Amino acid sequence: MSIKNLIIDERLENIVAPLSESQKLGLRKSLEAMGCIDPIIVFNDNVIWDGCQRYRICVENNIPFETKSVDFKNIAEAAKARIQHHMNRRQMTIFHQIEA
């Protein structure tokens, strides 16, 4: 999939708290050292469902990456699944956990 065809939907991205600057730096170092070992997850063929920061870093640094597609009926279903997917990760705020 062409990197310029992927879309970051802010509604989906903002479900998870943003990475801190130190987390971004750690992710960048990891991607530069090992490459992108986890695929960027997309739905509707080009909307990023998970992996927005990896995508940005990969594009900025010309790091190759793979994509994996998941199916959702609409953005609301995708958002609910994203909340559930991240429920036990540290990026989820209490607010987002209650919302789910």
Side-chain angles (χ1 to χ4, degrees):
M1 179 174 291
S2 173
I3 39 183
K4 60 184 148 196
N5 291 334
L6 297 186
I7 297 168
I8 296 174
D9 187 307
E10 289 182 10
R11 295 170 292 181
L12 291 175
E13 183 179 26
N14 292 333
I15 286 172
V16 178
L19 296 177
S20 68
E21 289 305 313
S22 64
Q23 289 171 319
K24 286 180 191 176
L25 180 60
L27 179 58
R28 179 181 306 278
K29 286 181 179 180
S30 173
L31 289 168
E32 290 173 347
M34 299 187 317
C36 189
I37 59 176
D38 295 314
I40 308 298
I41 310 298
V42 299
F43 82 102
N44 288 353
D45 295 321
N46 66 344
V47 179
I48 298 176
W49 181 76
D50 191 54
C52 294
Q53 288 301 325
R54 279 181 282 133
Y55 173 73
R56 284 187 181 104
I57 293 168
C58 287
V59 169
E60 290 170 3
N61 295 280
N62 294 314
I63 299 170
F65 62 89
E66 298 289 325
T67 61
K68 179 180 177 182
S69 293
V70 293
D71 294 321
F72 299 109
K73 294 176 188 169
N74 53 45
I75 191 78
E77 186 179 284
K80 183 175 180 177
R82 186 160 162 79
I83 290 168
Q84 291 171 341
H85 177 70
H86 285 276
M87 186 65 74
N88 294 317
R89 294 182 174 187
R90 65 178 175 262
Q91 293 97 341
M92 289 295 293
T93 66
I94 295 297
F95 173 76
H96 287 119
Q97 291 179 18
I98 292 169
E99 229 180 21

